Amino acid sequence: MMRLQSMQQKKLILIIMIVAIVFISTIGVKVIKILNESTMPAEDEIRVAIIASDGISDQSWGSLAYKGQLKIEEQFPVEVLLYSEKNTDELIEEAALMAIEEEAKVIMGHGREFSNVFTKLASVHKDVHFVTLRGTSDYPNQSVYTFEEETELEYFAALAASLKTKSNKIGIIDAFEASEGMSHFEKGVHHYKPEVMLYYKVVGSRDNGTKAVALAESFIQDGVDVIYTKGNAYNRYVIDLAKRHNVYVVGFLDDQSYLAENLVLTSVMNDISQIYVAIMRDYFSAEGLPQGEVVLTESDGVYKLAPFGPMFSENEMNFIQNEMDRYYKGEKQF
């Protein structure tokens, strides 16, 4: 009897061990499957990459690449690989090759500075499509998405500036020398307040805060009381200076009212993140990504005018809105 009980106990232990081994093996297989799935895109997703030359955690140009990532991941079946602070050709190529190794189908460079490296890689990796925001392209698997430097919305930003200048002196701080001809902002100022004297200075960079502030200081010394600051990183420094001198500002690139709510009249917004939406929209279209240059317009959602600030009276806001309505109805021409 004791021998029989001993044999039964051994069988029971053996069965328990077998069940435990099967259970542990099953769990192990599931863990491996989960880990594999976490490193591979879902079946209906494709992998794309965005490479930026600067950081993405501040209000700089690079942060707009991150905003673009969030938008396209929300709107399209894509998994985005984002590489930031790739500011040399060597680092750019390294990031692009890493993306290719990760089977990215589209690699997007956040600026014209990616063109040379992408052209080099496009000739070799013909199954990958390379896209830059501005720049150049040579091969069928390259595209350049760009937009006009000037937007008609500047006309209404100029109207806002004209309503608020008391000295009749308005300054423009541009990142780079504007093309020939009068900008929409200048046209707007001359139309709504022809007696205004316009001051124009060029920084030669989108990020040089020191020079931009020096130019703004010279404007203020000359009596300028509204400044249209058309940079990226340097805008915050100009707006900080404006706060010290109680000077109005027209912001640029994004809605910059958060920097000085009572002094920022409006902002001419270039929604760069929307360019990534346009790229993905074309990718998933029947025609696919086009070769060469694609010029985006207001209809693509790239340009917007930020809400006007609290310094405008109800009558002023009604006038601005009426002028905008007349334009969009075709009743008013610039």
Short mmCIF file of all heavy atoms in Angstrom, two decimals, residues 3 8 13-14 17 40 50 73 89 91 98 112 137 148 152 156 172 219 225 270 301 303 316-317 327 332:
data_model
loop_
_atom_site.label_atom_id
_atom_site.label_comp_id
_atom_site.label_asym_id
_atom_site.label_seq_id
_atom_site.Cartn_x
_atom_site.Cartn_y
_atom_site.Cartn_z
N ARG A 3 3.90 1.49 -0.97
CA ARG A 3 4.62 1.59 -2.26
C ARG A 3 3.71 2.19 -3.33
O ARG A 3 4.14 3.00 -4.16
CB ARG A 3 5.08 0.21 -2.67
CG ARG A 3 5.91 0.22 -3.95
CD ARG A 3 6.41 -1.16 -4.26
NE ARG A 3 7.16 -1.15 -5.49
CZ ARG A 3 7.66 -2.24 -6.08
NH1 ARG A 3 7.48 -3.44 -5.50
NH2 ARG A 3 8.31 -2.15 -7.20
N GLN A 8 2.06 6.88 -6.69
CA GLN A 8 1.06 7.88 -7.05
C GLN A 8 1.56 9.30 -6.80
O GLN A 8 1.30 10.21 -7.59
CB GLN A 8 -0.23 7.62 -6.25
CG GLN A 8 -0.97 6.37 -6.70
CD GLN A 8 -2.17 6.08 -5.83
OE1 GLN A 8 -2.23 6.52 -4.68
NE2 GLN A 8 -3.13 5.32 -6.37
N ILE A 13 3.63 14.44 -8.81
CA ILE A 13 4.72 15.44 -8.91
C ILE A 13 5.15 15.62 -10.36
O ILE A 13 5.38 16.73 -10.84
CB ILE A 13 5.90 15.01 -8.03
CG1 ILE A 13 5.51 15.11 -6.55
CG2 ILE A 13 7.13 15.89 -8.31
CD1 ILE A 13 6.53 14.50 -5.62
N LEU A 14 5.23 14.48 -11.08
CA LEU A 14 5.64 14.53 -12.49
C LEU A 14 4.63 15.33 -13.32
O LEU A 14 5.00 16.16 -14.16
CB LEU A 14 5.77 13.11 -13.04
CG LEU A 14 6.24 12.99 -14.51
CD1 LEU A 14 7.62 13.61 -14.68
CD2 LEU A 14 6.26 11.53 -14.94
N MET A 17 4.99 18.98 -12.59
CA MET A 17 6.18 19.52 -13.24
C MET A 17 5.94 19.75 -14.73
O MET A 17 6.34 20.76 -15.29
CB MET A 17 7.36 18.57 -13.04
CG MET A 17 7.89 18.54 -11.60
SD MET A 17 9.25 17.36 -11.40
CE MET A 17 10.49 18.09 -12.45
N MET A 40 8.27 45.99 -33.99
CA MET A 40 7.86 45.92 -35.39
C MET A 40 6.56 46.70 -35.57
O MET A 40 5.70 46.69 -34.69
CB MET A 40 7.62 44.46 -35.81
CG MET A 40 8.90 43.64 -35.83
SD MET A 40 10.04 44.18 -37.11
CE MET A 40 9.15 43.69 -38.58
N ILE A 50 11.71 60.84 -39.51
CA ILE A 50 11.93 62.28 -39.58
C ILE A 50 13.28 62.57 -38.93
O ILE A 50 13.55 62.10 -37.82
CB ILE A 50 10.83 63.06 -38.84
CG1 ILE A 50 9.46 62.79 -39.45
CG2 ILE A 50 11.13 64.56 -38.88
CD1 ILE A 50 8.30 63.43 -38.69
N GLU A 73 1.11 60.48 -36.97
CA GLU A 73 0.80 59.23 -36.26
C GLU A 73 -0.68 59.17 -35.89
O GLU A 73 -1.26 58.09 -35.81
CB GLU A 73 1.67 59.10 -35.01
CG GLU A 73 3.11 58.71 -35.31
CD GLU A 73 3.93 58.48 -34.08
OE1 GLU A 73 3.67 59.12 -33.04
OE2 GLU A 73 4.87 57.66 -34.15
N ASP A 89 26.72 66.36 -41.78
CA ASP A 89 26.43 65.38 -42.84
C ASP A 89 26.66 63.95 -42.35
O ASP A 89 25.91 63.04 -42.71
CB ASP A 89 27.31 65.65 -44.06
CG ASP A 89 26.83 66.85 -44.87
OD1 ASP A 89 25.76 67.41 -44.52
OD2 ASP A 89 27.51 67.22 -45.84
N LEU A 91 26.35 62.78 -39.24
CA LEU A 91 25.26 62.37 -38.35
C LEU A 91 23.95 62.15 -39.11
O LEU A 91 23.18 61.25 -38.79
CB LEU A 91 25.06 63.41 -37.25
CG LEU A 91 26.16 63.51 -36.19
CD1 LEU A 91 25.90 64.68 -35.25
CD2 LEU A 91 26.27 62.20 -35.39
N MET A 98 20.35 54.23 -40.35
CA MET A 98 19.66 53.53 -39.26
C MET A 98 18.19 53.36 -39.60
O MET A 98 17.60 52.30 -39.37
CB MET A 98 19.81 54.31 -37.95
CG MET A 98 21.19 54.23 -37.33
SD MET A 98 21.33 55.30 -35.85
CE MET A 98 20.09 54.56 -34.78
N ARG A 112 16.33 72.25 -45.55
CA ARG A 112 17.07 72.13 -46.80
C ARG A 112 18.44 71.50 -46.62
O ARG A 112 19.04 70.98 -47.56
CB ARG A 112 17.19 73.50 -47.45
CG ARG A 112 18.08 74.47 -46.70
CD ARG A 112 18.18 75.82 -47.41
NE ARG A 112 17.04 76.66 -47.13
CZ ARG A 112 16.22 77.14 -48.06
NH1 ARG A 112 16.41 76.85 -49.32
NH2 ARG A 112 15.22 77.92 -47.72
N SER A 137 16.42 68.25 -55.22
CA SER A 137 16.31 66.80 -55.45
C SER A 137 16.76 66.49 -56.87
O SER A 137 16.59 67.31 -57.78
CB SER A 137 14.87 66.34 -55.23
OG SER A 137 14.01 66.90 -56.20
N GLU A 148 5.67 79.24 -49.94
CA GLU A 148 6.10 80.61 -50.22
C GLU A 148 6.48 81.31 -48.92
O GLU A 148 5.86 81.12 -47.88
CB GLU A 148 4.97 81.39 -50.90
CG GLU A 148 4.55 80.82 -52.25
CD GLU A 148 5.63 80.91 -53.30
OE1 GLU A 148 6.54 81.77 -53.16
OE2 GLU A 148 5.59 80.13 -54.26
N GLU A 152 -0.47 85.91 -47.99
CA GLU A 152 -1.41 87.02 -48.06
C GLU A 152 -1.97 87.39 -46.69
O GLU A 152 -2.47 88.49 -46.48
CB GLU A 152 -2.54 86.65 -49.03
CG GLU A 152 -2.05 86.54 -50.47
CD GLU A 152 -3.13 86.09 -51.43
OE1 GLU A 152 -4.18 85.61 -50.95
OE2 GLU A 152 -2.93 86.22 -52.65
N PHE A 156 -3.23 91.27 -43.43
CA PHE A 156 -4.12 91.57 -42.29
C PHE A 156 -3.32 91.72 -41.00
O PHE A 156 -3.77 92.43 -40.09
CB PHE A 156 -5.18 90.49 -42.18
CG PHE A 156 -6.00 90.38 -43.44
CD1 PHE A 156 -5.88 89.27 -44.26
CD2 PHE A 156 -6.85 91.39 -43.82
CE1 PHE A 156 -6.61 89.18 -45.43
CE2 PHE A 156 -7.59 91.32 -44.99
CZ PHE A 156 -7.46 90.20 -45.81
N ILE A 172 10.40 95.86 -39.41
CA ILE A 172 10.39 94.45 -39.81
C ILE A 172 11.79 93.89 -39.59
O ILE A 172 12.77 94.41 -40.14
CB ILE A 172 9.99 94.26 -41.29
CG1 ILE A 172 8.64 94.90 -41.56
CG2 ILE A 172 9.98 92.78 -41.65
CD1 ILE A 172 8.27 94.95 -43.05
N PHE A 219 15.65 100.01 -33.73
CA PHE A 219 14.31 100.43 -34.14
C PHE A 219 13.65 101.27 -33.05
O PHE A 219 13.09 102.34 -33.31
CB PHE A 219 13.43 99.20 -34.40
CG PHE A 219 13.65 98.53 -35.74
CD1 PHE A 219 13.04 97.32 -36.02
CD2 PHE A 219 14.44 99.10 -36.72
CE1 PHE A 219 13.21 96.69 -37.25
CE2 PHE A 219 14.64 98.49 -37.95
CZ PHE A 219 14.02 97.28 -38.21
N ASP A 225 7.23 101.63 -32.80
CA ASP A 225 6.43 101.11 -31.69
C ASP A 225 5.66 99.83 -32.04
O ASP A 225 4.89 99.32 -31.23
CB ASP A 225 5.47 102.18 -31.15
CG ASP A 225 4.49 102.68 -32.19
OD1 ASP A 225 4.57 102.25 -33.36
OD2 ASP A 225 3.63 103.51 -31.83
N ASN A 270 3.20 79.83 -39.67
CA ASN A 270 3.55 78.84 -40.68
C ASN A 270 3.47 77.49 -39.99
O ASN A 270 4.38 77.13 -39.23
CB ASN A 270 4.97 79.05 -41.22
CG ASN A 270 5.06 80.25 -42.13
OD1 ASN A 270 4.06 80.88 -42.40
ND2 ASN A 270 6.24 80.56 -42.59
N GLY A 301 -3.30 74.22 -45.43
CA GLY A 301 -3.28 74.45 -43.99
C GLY A 301 -1.95 74.88 -43.43
O GLY A 301 -1.74 74.84 -42.21
N TYR A 303 -0.56 77.96 -43.69
CA TYR A 303 -0.60 79.33 -43.17
C TYR A 303 -1.86 79.58 -42.35
O TYR A 303 -2.95 79.16 -42.72
CB TYR A 303 -0.57 80.34 -44.32
CG TYR A 303 0.62 80.22 -45.23
CD1 TYR A 303 0.48 79.77 -46.53
CD2 TYR A 303 1.90 80.55 -44.77
CE1 TYR A 303 1.57 79.66 -47.38
CE2 TYR A 303 2.99 80.44 -45.61
CZ TYR A 303 2.83 79.99 -46.91
OH TYR A 303 3.90 79.87 -47.74
N GLU A 316 -12.49 97.91 -33.66
CA GLU A 316 -11.31 97.53 -34.44
C GLU A 316 -11.43 96.08 -34.92
O GLU A 316 -11.09 95.76 -36.07
CB GLU A 316 -10.05 97.73 -33.60
CG GLU A 316 -9.68 99.20 -33.40
CD GLU A 316 -8.56 99.38 -32.40
OE1 GLU A 316 -8.41 98.53 -31.48
OE2 GLU A 316 -7.82 100.37 -32.51
N MET A 317 -11.89 95.20 -34.03
CA MET A 317 -12.03 93.80 -34.42
C MET A 317 -13.08 93.64 -35.52
O MET A 317 -12.90 92.85 -36.45
CB MET A 317 -12.43 92.96 -33.20
CG MET A 317 -11.29 92.67 -32.23
SD MET A 317 -9.89 91.83 -33.03
CE MET A 317 -10.68 90.43 -33.80
N TYR A 327 -12.17 90.25 -48.53
CA TYR A 327 -11.11 89.65 -49.34
C TYR A 327 -11.48 88.21 -49.74
O TYR A 327 -11.39 87.84 -50.92
CB TYR A 327 -9.79 89.66 -48.58
CG TYR A 327 -8.74 88.82 -49.26
CD1 TYR A 327 -8.16 89.22 -50.46
CD2 TYR A 327 -8.35 87.59 -48.72
CE1 TYR A 327 -7.22 88.43 -51.10
CE2 TYR A 327 -7.41 86.80 -49.35
CZ TYR A 327 -6.84 87.22 -50.54
OH TYR A 327 -5.92 86.44 -51.17
N LYS A 332 -12.49 92.27 -52.43
CA LYS A 332 -11.35 93.16 -52.18
C LYS A 332 -10.09 92.52 -52.74
O LYS A 332 -9.85 91.34 -52.57
CB LYS A 332 -11.19 93.38 -50.67
CG LYS A 332 -10.03 94.30 -50.29
CD LYS A 332 -9.95 94.46 -48.78
CE LYS A 332 -8.79 95.36 -48.37
NZ LYS A 332 -8.96 96.72 -48.87
#
